[in-house]
């Protein structure tokens, strides 16, 4: 019995040794030694190769990149310092009142675009918001509508054009305003014109003689926008912003 066990052990050892010398189907006896690693493939190269799949129609890329760089510096050197100063000297309740007031004004184009897109429920909710916030909220300084279950909706004429099949067109980086495209830029102009013509609460007319109101609205808009240039910590931030903006607009139009 002991002799048989010894013979079996010898046969097993022999077969294992033979298996170690037998080449794998791919022809390598030691495949791991044949693996090739590229130590030069750093994070930037990896991101660039990944972003190749995120192409967006951007025939004006060289110009857009210059505008992006301008926006980056303007935000860093002008806009954000002003916002920080605004936060420092203005009490929180007053900042909330300013934000609510301008948000209430923005519900006017929201309502019109909801109607144009035949979104009945959103139209009714936005109408309710305007009525409640303009009356109970004292011209929009407070936002009782949200507390009563009527959340803020976001509709613009760029979305309306997209809803009816107007293509986005080339990507655009607008000075100070940030990412856009040809369709959405036209929509932005249309919304501004409509809001000026309606002159809700007489704000558009008064702002004509008091540019500080428009300046305050711009500061409030930046104050309520969380995005910060450079926050992606990537040399390809422009590409990422372009892609995220484009895909986000598609989702908004599809809602």
């Amino acid at each position: 019995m002991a002799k048989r066990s010894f013979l079996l052990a010898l046969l097993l050892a022999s077969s294992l040794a033979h298996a170690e010398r037998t080449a794998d189907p791919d022809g390598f006896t030691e495949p791991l030694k044949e693996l090739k690693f590229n130590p030069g493939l750093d994070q930037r190269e990896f991101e660039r190769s990944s972003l190749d799949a995120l192409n967006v129609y951007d025939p004006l890329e060289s110009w857009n990149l210059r505008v992006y760089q301008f926006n980056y510096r303007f935000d860093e050197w002008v806009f954000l310092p002003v916002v920080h100063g605004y936060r420092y000297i203005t009490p929180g309740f007053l900042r909330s009142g300013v934000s609510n007031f301008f948000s209430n004004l923005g519900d006017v184009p929201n309502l019109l675009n909801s109607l144009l897109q035949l979104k009945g429920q959103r139209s009714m909710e936005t109408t309710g918001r305007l009525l409640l916030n303009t009356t109970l909220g004292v011209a929009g300084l407070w936002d009782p509508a949200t507390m009563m279950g009527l959340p803020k909706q976001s509709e613009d004429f760029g979305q309306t054009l997209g809803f009816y099949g107007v293509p986005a067109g080339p990507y655009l980086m607008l000075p100070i305003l940030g990412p856009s495209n040809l369709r959405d830029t036209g929509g932005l102009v249309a919304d501004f014109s409509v809001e000026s013509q309606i002159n809700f609460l007489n704000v558009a007319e008064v702002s004509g003689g008091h540019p500080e109101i428009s300046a305050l609205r711009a500061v409030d808009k930046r104050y309520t926008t969380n995005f910060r240039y450079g926050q992606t910590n990537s040399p390809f931030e422009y590409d990422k912003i372009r892609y995220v903006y484009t895909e986000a607009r598609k989702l908004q139009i599809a809602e």
Side-chain angles (χ1 to χ4, degrees):
M1 185 68 178
K3 186 179 290 185
R4 286 184 180 180
S5 299
F6 178 71
L7 289 174
L8 286 173
L10 284 176
L11 288 172
L12 181 60
S14 176
S15 63
L16 287 174
H18 178 72
E20 289 177 358
R21 292 191 298 270
T22 302
D24 287 347
D26 59 5
F28 297 120
T29 56
E30 295 180 299
L32 290 179
K33 288 188 177 181
E34 300 297 328
L35 287 177
K36 303 295 184 183
F37 296 97
N38 181 8
L41 184 62
D42 60 16
Q43 181 66 19
R44 293 190 177 191
E45 291 180 54
F46 177 76
E47 289 195 30
R48 171 58 73 184
S49 62
S50 300
L51 288 168
D52 285 342
L54 309 182
N55 285 330
V56 173
Y57 181 51
D58 188 6
L60 303 174
E61 182 173 6
S62 60
W63 166 258
N64 287 332
L65 277 169
R66 292 188 181 93
V67 176
Y68 162 77
Q69 292 166 357
F70 166 79
N71 288 350
Y72 192 112
R73 297 308 177 194
F74 181 84
D75 206 52
E76 181 181 16
W77 296 340
V78 180
F79 228 161
L80 289 182
V82 170
V83 169
H84 294 328
Y86 172 69
R87 292 186 62 180
Y88 181 77
I89 66 174
T90 310
F93 75 91
L94 188 55
R95 294 197 303 270
S96 296
V98 170
S99 297
N100 290 335
F101 177 78
F102 288 125
S103 177
N104 191 52
L105 293 180
D107 273 338
V108 174
N110 284 345
L111 173 58
L112 294 177
N113 284 293
S114 294
L115 290 170
L116 288 173
Q117 295 175 54
L118 308 178
K119 296 180 177 179
Q121 182 176 351
R122 287 199 173 190
S123 299
M124 290 188 291
E125 289 178 351
T126 304
T127 300
R129 283 184 57 85
L130 273 169
L131 291 174
L132 287 170
N133 289 344
T134 304
T135 54
L136 297 179
V138 189
L141 293 175
W142 287 273
D143 184 11
T146 298
M147 293 184 290
M148 297 175 69
L150 295 174
K152 175 79 174 181
Q153 306 291 346
S154 179
E155 300 288 345
D156 56 64
F157 196 64
Q159 289 173 248
T160 299
L161 293 174
F163 177 81
Y164 287 103
V166 177
Y171 177 78
L172 296 174
M173 179 65 74
L174 302 180
I176 301 177
L177 299 178
S180 185
N181 55 50
L182 185 59
R183 179 196 63 212
D184 292 346
T185 301
L188 186 67
V189 173
D191 284 331
F192 177 79
S193 300
V194 168
E195 190 174 317
S196 299
Q197 290 297 318
I198 293 176
N199 193 27
F200 186 60
L201 298 178
N202 205 36
V203 173
E205 183 178 344
V206 173
S207 298
H210 295 275
E212 63 271 16
I213 296 177
S214 298
L216 178 61
R217 188 171 189 175
V219 171
D220 174 72
K221 180 66 175 178
R222 190 65 188 95
Y223 165 70
T224 56
T225 301
N226 292 325
F227 172 77
R228 296 291 184 268
Y229 286 99
Q231 69 182 18
T232 62
N233 195 31
S234 168
F236 307 114
E237 182 176 77
Y238 171 83
D239 306 76
K240 292 181 177 181
I241 292 173
R242 179 179 62 186
Y243 177 76
V244 169
Y245 173 81
T246 301
E247 293 303 308
R249 291 298 285 174
K250 290 178 182 177
L251 292 174
Q252 289 172 341
I253 292 169
E255 284 182 344

